Amino acid sequence: MIDALLRPPESRQAYLADTVRALGVLSVLTALVLLGPVETALFLLVLLGLLVSRALAVFPGFDAAYGVVLLAAAWSSVADLYARISWWDLAIHFATTGALAVMAYFLLVQFGAVPAVQRPHRHSPSLPVVVPLLVLALGLGMSVLWEIGEWWGHTYVDASINVGYADTMGDLAAGGLGALAAGLCLGFAVRRSGARPNAPLPHRTHR
């Protein structure tokens, strides 16, 4: 993982992903200088997530999209878009939970706990079904933790954070749908490339 974190980008998609990470660093500095400790902590958490995606051998295109989603979620909170746009909270829950669930899947792959989407191909008709279900389960679990975090933030940090039964159930539903959509996309990748169970994801290679 350390080697993956330190290696230089090797494609346009990898450069794009690193550009998104640079925006994460700029966001931390902006929060530190212009905003406050809560916002700084938020962007530090986002930056950690961006570094995790580089340390894992994920697809470069997904790496960049994942970073954009995390930054959009954080800046939406800073800009109070969740209160200004009625549907924005559900959209962010949908996108962010899906991205985080897939990243959690890749993290489990790194430790050999789940099948890896990779070549060489080995026919396994169950994997295109198992992988989406696994990503869905990871997303639902993360959604629950997210809602606990929102409750904690509302109670101990900022009472303006929106909580309540309707908000919580809507967020859980949106997060679950996002994880299901992301899992189906990953399942499609399994069908396209094949998978070898219990093998680590290889390093990204580019021609």
Side-chain angles (χ1 to χ4, degrees), residues 3-207:
D3 290 340
L5 184 63
L6 297 178
R7 71 175 177 271
E10 300 172 349
S11 71
R12 284 179 294 180
Q13 289 180 322
Y15 274 106
L16 178 60
D18 280 349
T19 300
V20 174
R21 268 180 280 275
L23 292 176
V25 174
L26 290 176
S27 297
V28 172
L29 295 176
T30 299
L32 185 63
V33 174
L34 300 178
L35 299 175
V38 174
E39 291 82 2
T40 301
L42 172 63
F43 283 113
L44 283 172
L45 185 61
V46 169
L47 183 59
L48 176 61
L50 298 180
L51 292 176
V52 167
S53 69
R54 200 183 202 289
L56 300 177
V58 304
F59 307 130
F62 170 73
D63 189 5
Y66 163 83
V68 169
V69 167
L70 290 192
L71 284 174
W75 277 109
S76 295
S77 177
V78 172
D80 204 24
L81 294 184
Y82 299 121
R84 297 179 181 180
I85 305 174
S86 60
W87 50 268
W88 192 249
D89 182 50
L90 295 179
I92 290 296
H93 273 276
F94 179 92
T96 307
T97 303
L100 287 173
V102 172
M103 189 57 65
Y105 171 85
F106 282 120
L107 184 62
L108 292 176
V109 166
Q110 184 69 37
F111 293 101
V114 298
V117 181
Q118 65 174 51
R119 291 180 175 87
H121 180 90
R122 191 175 89 173
H123 179 65
S124 181
S126 65
L127 284 179
V129 177
V130 171
V131 168
L133 290 177
L134 176 58
V135 173
L136 173 60
L138 290 169
L140 289 174
M142 290 180 172
S143 292
V144 172
L145 294 176
W146 190 330
E147 294 308 306
I148 292 174
E150 285 191 352
W151 166 83
W152 185 88
H154 171 83
T155 304
Y156 298 105
V157 179
D158 185 355
S160 66
I161 295 175
N162 189 26
V163 294
Y165 183 77
D167 177 77
T168 297
M169 295 307 296
D171 291 349
L172 289 174
L177 288 174
L180 178 60
L184 290 174
C185 290
L186 196 58
F188 178 74
V190 171
R191 295 185 188 95
R192 290 291 300 271
S193 67
R196 186 169 63 196
N198 300 322
L201 197 68
H203 291 306
R204 286 174 284 193
T205 58
H206 309 281
R207 295 179 180 177

